[in-house]
């Protein structure tokens, strides 16, 4: 029994230390206490932004119990980079029929990249239990045809939830 426990402990220590077990996606850290004060995730920088190369970046904060902003518009057939972080507890997000599925861990920036094949509304629920309001935590991603998407450079766009 003791040997078995030693083996299991060994597996945990070796996989953690040697294989660098970290939160999924890129390992980028951020101070969760100062998200709203300055840096990439201040409110004026949230939403969809068009990059010089034509791709778009969507920045969101996942917090108890909602996403800020809770509706974003993106163009179809374009590289979309979601960058999300949390000021409080672990949240998650998933978009059905896409490869978007990540945990959002306080202290880290989760980044997922995707391309939407067709226009439409995608419901994006939080999929990590984060407290009493978890079941009401979701956002909408509205995918519009490329020619209908216009975000002036440096502006951040959002849409109105329906
Ligand atoms: Cu946030 Cu569940």
């Amino acid at each position: 029994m003791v040997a078995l426990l030693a083996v299991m402990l060994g597996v945990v220590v070796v996989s953690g230390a040697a294989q660098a077990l970290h939160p999924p996606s890129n390992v980028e850290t951020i101070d969760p206490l100062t998200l709203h004060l300055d840096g990439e995730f201040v409110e004026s920088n949230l939403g969809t932004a068009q990059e010089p190369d034509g791709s778009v970046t969507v920045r969101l904060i996942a917090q108890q119990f909602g996403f800020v902003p809770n509706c974003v518009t993106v163009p179809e057939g374009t590289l979309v980079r979601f960058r999300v972080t949390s000021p409080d507890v672990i949240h998650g997000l998933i978009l059905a029929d896409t490869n978007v599925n990540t945990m959002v861990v306080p202290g880290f920036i989760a980044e997922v990249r995707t391309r939407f094949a067709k226009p439409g509304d995608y419901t994006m629920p939080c999929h990590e239990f984060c407290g009493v309001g978890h079941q009401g935590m979701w956002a909408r991603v509205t995918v519009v045809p490329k020619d209908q998407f216009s975000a002036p450079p440096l502006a951040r766009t959002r849409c109105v939830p329906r």
Side-chain angles (χ1 to χ4, degrees):
M1 190 61 189
V2 170
L4 199 58
L5 286 175
V7 168
M8 283 162 35
L9 184 65
V11 168
V12 170
V13 170
V14 169
S15 60
Q19 295 174 355
L21 287 191
H22 291 299
S25 90
N26 56 333
V27 180
E28 242 183 292
T29 58
I30 188 167
D31 184 353
L33 295 178
T34 56
L35 287 187
H36 302 283
L37 302 180
D38 62 2
E40 183 179 348
F41 290 89
V42 292
E43 189 168 0
S44 58
N45 202 38
L46 301 178
T48 307
Q50 186 139 37
E51 305 294 343
D53 65 1
S55 66
V56 300
T57 303
V58 176
R59 292 186 179 84
L60 301 168
I61 289 181
Q63 63 187 26
Q64 287 170 320
F65 296 100
F67 291 92
V68 184
N70 72 348
C71 186
V72 289
T73 304
V74 299
E76 75 170 313
T78 302
L79 176 65
V80 178
R81 200 180 289 105
F82 286 91
R83 288 173 62 78
V84 192
T85 191
S86 163
D88 43 39
V89 301
I90 294 178
H91 300 276
L93 57 90
I94 186 167
L95 285 171
D97 302 329
T98 75
N99 63 328
V100 176
N101 182 352
T102 185
M103 286 167 76
V104 182
V105 182
F108 292 89
I109 299 170
E111 180 171 313
V112 253
R113 295 161 185 229
T114 193
R115 244 173 236 277
F116 293 92
K118 53 181 193 297
D121 284 340
Y122 292 73
T123 300
M124 186 174 76
C126 172
H127 68 20
E128 292 286 339
F129 181 76
C130 52
V132 291
H134 164 71
Q135 77 283 354
M137 179 170 174
W138 58 278
R140 170 170 290 128
V141 176
T142 297
V143 181
V144 298
K146 238 180 194 173
D147 56 358
Q148 285 178 26
F149 181 82
S150 61
L154 303 177
R156 305 290 178 255
T157 64
R158 299 143 187 233
C159 49
V160 179
R162 272 167 270 161

